[in-house]
Amino acid sequence: EPEVTQTPSHQVTQMGQEVILRCVPISNHLYFYWYRQILGQKVEFLVSFYNNEISEKSEIFDDQFSVERPDGSNFTLKIRSTKLEDSAMYFCASSETTRGGYEQYFGPGTRLTVT
Amino acid sequence: QQQVKQSPQSLIVQKGGISIINCAYENTAFDYFPWYQQFPGKGPALLIAIRPDVSEKKEGRFTISFNKSAKQFSLHIMDSQPGDSATYFCAASRNAGNMLTFGGGTRLMVKP
């Protein structure tokens, strides 16, 4: 069964450093998303991406964040200058939507620890 | 208006019992309501979802009940098993491709 994959599973970085989180969405899906989950809290939307551009973003997704689809398979989230409060699980998700499907499928996540 | 409120925060059920988790929303533009199951250290896994044109959807032991007028929906887990112990999130979205707004989560423990 196709699934969303994410790398790395755990990333430790120092405050102020740049990090890139990588995702491979399900191959025939057209919408891609990033969500984050601070430990013990709910899942929060960051950004959605469709047709090579951002379609929606939350207040959390400020100028420190960027997304990119560098090739036909990968989808990345970059945090330019990490802060302690960026420590969280980051989930990538994808959905098909060509036939009106709303289902979003999540990857296993990347645990980001900022020290 | 974008919030989805979920209750209870935690739930303990005996094996074989019924687990019931409730969610309420304000935004009447929401038209898709999924439930996700999350085990520790894992990503949310889509469990079951409903659109507002039906009041109930059942898949195996899992049932969603939807009350459009009250803007509420709930997840019922029949014959709850220890393997169902996880955190459950309700969510809502407006259109295909739009962001999911998640509830706060319910930590379910099913005692053997």
Side-chain angles (χ1 to χ4, degrees), chain B residues 97-110:
Chain B
N98 278 110
M99 58 176 278
L100 286 171
T101 299
F102 281 83
T106 297
R107 184 173 293 186
L108 171 66
M109 181 184 298
V110 180

Side-chain angles (χ1 to χ4, degrees), chain A residues 34-78:
Chain A
W34 285 100
Y35 292 83
R36 80 171 185 190
Q37 184 179 34
I38 295 171
L39 186 64
Q41 298 186 22
K42 68 177 180 181
V43 180
E44 299 175 290
F45 169 77
L46 293 178
V47 64
S48 60
F49 192 85
Y50 172 73
N51 200 25
N52 285 318
E53 62 182 26
I54 291 173
S55 54
E56 196 170 13
K57 62 182 180 179
S58 72
E59 293 176 351
I60 302 169
F61 193 87
D62 61 21
D63 292 344
Q64 293 298 314
F65 292 88
S66 62
V67 289
E68 190 178 33
R69 186 151 165 84
D71 53 43
S73 60
N74 290 283
F75 179 52
T76 63
L77 174 69
K78 182 193 290 187

Side-chain angles (χ1 to χ4, degrees), chain B residues 15-73:
Chain B
K15 179 182 175 181
I18 302 173
S19 304
I20 301 174
I21 305 170
N22 301 296
C23 283
Y25 63 97
E26 290 293 326
N27 189 345
T28 54
F30 286 147
D31 65 350
Y32 171 70
F33 304 89
W35 285 89
Y36 283 83
Q37 180 188 58
Q38 185 180 35
F39 293 105
K42 304 293 184 183
L46 181 62
L47 196 59
I48 186 172
I50 197 167
R51 301 285 295 277
D53 51 346
V54 296
S55 60
E56 186 174 282
K57 183 175 181 180
K58 184 175 181 180
E59 289 183 2
R61 296 186 293 111
F62 301 92
T63 300
I64 299 179
S65 297
F66 184 80
N67 185 329
K68 189 174 181 178
S69 61
K71 292 185 283 186
Q72 295 175 347
F73 58 110

